[in-house]
């Protein structure tokens, strides 16, 4: 039986650590939260709420569930977005006690800008040649598949 710490496994472990450090440094250097704050004065949670509302208006309960927060936290967030003129509340058509949150025109523009900031590839990606981009896509597809099939206890 082969020892778990053979020279090949040590080399692979060191290479894995080096690759992970490089990926981590690149990703943390692309801090989109800073861009959201600078360009839109939004945090990532509010940006996510606006992006969710681009798909369809939502009740307060749906907003809380989508953000995985309690209803009072969702209310505070919607209050802030409403004060900024990004959303408006309307009575639910079937139950006047409930409210439905809609984006305003400014909210739609802000949500689209937030989505662009969060999904637009950094310039370093757009400057890679097609072969390198294909290799990165293949590698990360493999990594994501491995992460998806990992036992729940190993997932973040």
């Amino acid at each position: 039986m082969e020892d778990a710490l053979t020279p090949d496994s040590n080399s692979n472990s060191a290479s894995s650590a080096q690759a992970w450090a490089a990926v981590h440094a690149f990703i943390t250097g692309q801090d989109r939260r800073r861009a959201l704050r600078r360009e839109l004065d939004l945090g990532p949670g509010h940006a996510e709420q606006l992006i969710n509302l681009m798909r369809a208006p939502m009740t307060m309960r749906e907003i809380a569930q989508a953000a995985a927060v309690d209803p009072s936290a969702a209310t505070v967030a919607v209050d802030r977005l409403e004060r900024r003129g990004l959303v408006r509340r309307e009575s639910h058509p079937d139950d006047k006690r409930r409210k439905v949150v809609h984006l305003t025109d400014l909210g739609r523009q802000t949500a689209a800008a937030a989505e662009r900031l969060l999904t637009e590839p950094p310039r370093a990606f757009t400057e890679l040649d097609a072969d390198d981009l294909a290799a990165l896509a293949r590698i990360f597809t493999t990594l994501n598949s491995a992460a998806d099939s990992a036992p729940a206890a190993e997932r973040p």
Side-chain angles (χ1 to χ4, degrees):
M1 184 166 93
E2 188 174 317
D3 183 10
L5 294 177
T6 62
D8 285 343
S9 67
N10 282 338
S11 175
N12 194 32
S13 180
S15 294
S16 296
Q18 184 179 12
W20 176 248
V23 168
H24 186 266
F26 179 79
I27 290 172
T28 56
Q30 307 302 313
D31 185 1
R32 301 304 172 98
R33 294 172 298 187
R34 196 173 307 142
L36 284 171
R37 288 262 183 236
R38 182 181 61 246
E39 294 182 35
L40 303 173
D41 192 25
L42 286 177
H46 286 141
E48 182 181 341
Q49 288 171 346
L50 292 175
I51 292 167
N52 286 337
L53 286 166
M54 279 194 331
R55 295 178 190 99
M58 299 170 77
T59 64
M60 294 300 295
R61 177 175 295 200
E62 291 168 333
I63 290 171
Q65 289 172 338
V69 299
D70 61 58
S72 62
T75 299
V76 169
V78 170
D79 287 347
R80 288 181 183 153
L81 295 172
E82 191 172 40
R83 280 193 301 273
R84 291 188 53 192
L86 301 174
V87 301
R88 70 179 185 287
R89 291 181 175 110
E90 294 181 3
S91 294
H92 192 283
D94 299 331
D95 183 351
K96 299 299 179 200
R97 295 169 297 173
R98 294 172 45 206
K99 299 292 182 191
V100 179
V101 180
H102 297 262
L103 288 175
T104 63
D105 288 340
L106 178 60
R108 274 187 286 287
Q109 293 169 4
T110 304
E115 188 170 48
R116 178 187 52 77
L117 283 170
L118 292 171
T119 60
E120 187 176 78
R123 185 188 317 167
F125 264 57
T126 62
E127 292 175 352
L128 290 174
D129 67 35
D131 290 341
D132 287 342
L133 286 170
L136 274 174
R138 180 181 48 75
I139 290 165
F140 280 99
T141 297
T142 300
L143 291 171
N144 286 328
S145 293
D148 289 345
S149 65
E154 294 178 17
R155 292 184 210 148

